[in-house]
Amino acid sequence: LLLRLSTSPGEPVPPLELRASFTQAMAAILRRAPAAIEQAPGLFGDSPPAFTASVVEAVARCEGRRATEILAQFLGRVPGVDGLLLARLGQRGRYSGRGEEFVFDALRRYFQQNDPALVAAAVRASAELGDDGAVEPLIELLEHRDERVRASSFGALTTLSGLDFGADVARWTSWYHAEMQWWEHEADGRLVRIERAHGREYVRAAREVLEHRLYRDRLAESFAQALARSDADEVLLACRALGELRSAAAIPALVECLQRDDPRLRAAALAALRAITGAELEAESELLARFAG
C-alpha cells in the first residue's frame, strides 16, 4: 500500500524527497513490525525501478540476520542496484546464521565479475561479514589486474585474520596453508582440550588455539563452553580469548555470563561483548538483549 501511494504512472522518476520519505516510512514500519520484512523480497520484485534503491535502503536499516539474507537475495535481480547492495552488505558487521552459506556464496560469485568496482565491493563485504571460506579466493585476487581489487583483497585478508602481511602474496599463501594444515591435523584435539581440560593443560591449549585466526567462530564456540565453569580463572581466560577472537557466535554465552555472582566475571564478559560488538554497552542495557537474540 505504501508503495502504491508513493508511485504515479505518469511520473517515471519520482522526486528524491519522495523516495527518501518512502525509505524512512518503510524502515519505520519494519522496526515496529519486524515480521513484515518477509514481504520485502516480493516488494523488491514489484517495485518500479526508481524505488528499487529505496527498498534496499529501508531493508538495510533493519538489524538482524534476516535483513542480511534478504539483501544478499536481492543481488543480481535488478540492473544497476548491485553496487548499492554490496555496499550495504559491507556495513552490516560479522554475520553468522543458518543462511550463512547462501549469503557468502552470493558474494563470492561476484569475485568473478568483469567490473572491478563490483569485485572490490564484494571482497570488502565478504570480509566485514566474516566469510573465512573466502580466504583462498581472496589470496588468488591478490594478483588481480586491477589495483582496487588487489587493495581490497589485502584489506579483506587483514580483516578476516587480524594479520597484516601487506602485499606479500607468498606470505599470505604460506599462512593459509599452515592454517589449513592445523585445522586438518591438530585443531580437533586442541579444541577438545579447550572444552574439557583444566589447569595448565587448559592454559596451554588456549595459548596455542589463540595463535590461529581462521574460522574464528568455531574457535569461539569452544571457549564459550568454558564460560559455564566453576573455576573463575578459567572463565576469565575464556572471556579474554573471546574478546580477542571477536566472534559474534559467543554473544549468547557471554550475555549469560553477565548473570554470574562474581563481579570479575561480569566485568570480563562485558569487556568481551564490547570488543565483539564495538558498542559501549552497559550491563543492564537493552542492547544486550538485542545482541543476544
Side-chain angles (χ1 to χ4, degrees), residues 106-260:
L107 289 170
R108 286 181 218 159
R109 285 196 293 271
Y110 280 77
F111 291 4
Q112 308 302 320
Q113 282 277 341
N114 292 325
D115 185 343
L118 291 180
V119 178
V123 163
R124 290 191 293 270
S126 294
E128 293 300 327
L129 289 168
D131 181 11
D132 291 309
V135 168
E136 187 171 17
L138 286 172
I139 291 174
E140 295 175 1
L141 289 173
L142 294 178
E143 298 182 292
H144 195 277
R145 67 184 185 281
D146 190 271
E147 170 60 27
R148 290 169 294 179
V149 175
R150 295 196 300 272
S152 295
S153 299
F154 289 129
L157 287 167
T158 296
T159 297
L160 288 168
S161 68
L163 304 172
D164 187 3
F165 296 152
D168 193 334
V169 178
R171 195 172 181 188
W172 281 116
T173 303
S174 176
W175 166 77
Y176 175 70
H177 289 160
E179 287 286 295
M180 294 305 293
Q181 284 289 314
W182 184 80
W183 274 100
E184 183 176 354
H185 299 292
E186 300 181 51
D188 287 345
R190 298 299 183 271
L191 294 178
V192 166
R193 291 183 185 178
I194 295 295
E195 295 165 7
R196 301 179 184 176
H198 296 274
R200 292 181 179 178
E201 186 179 1
Y202 168 68
V203 172
R204 284 196 296 269
R207 286 175 177 169
E208 179 178 338
V209 167
L210 287 173
E211 292 177 359
H212 299 275
R213 284 294 180 271
L214 197 59
Y215 304 120
R216 284 184 290 169
D217 288 348
R218 176 65 185 91
L219 302 180
E221 288 171 1
S222 293
F223 280 108
Q225 293 189 32
L227 294 177
R229 296 184 179 190
S230 58
D231 187 296
D233 289 335
E234 292 180 357
V235 176
L236 288 171
L237 176 56
C239 286
R240 288 194 292 270
L242 291 169
E244 191 172 331
L245 290 169
R246 300 189 179 187
S247 166
I251 289 176
L254 286 166
V255 171
E256 287 187 18
C257 195
L258 290 172
Q259 309 304 315
R260 299 289 291 264

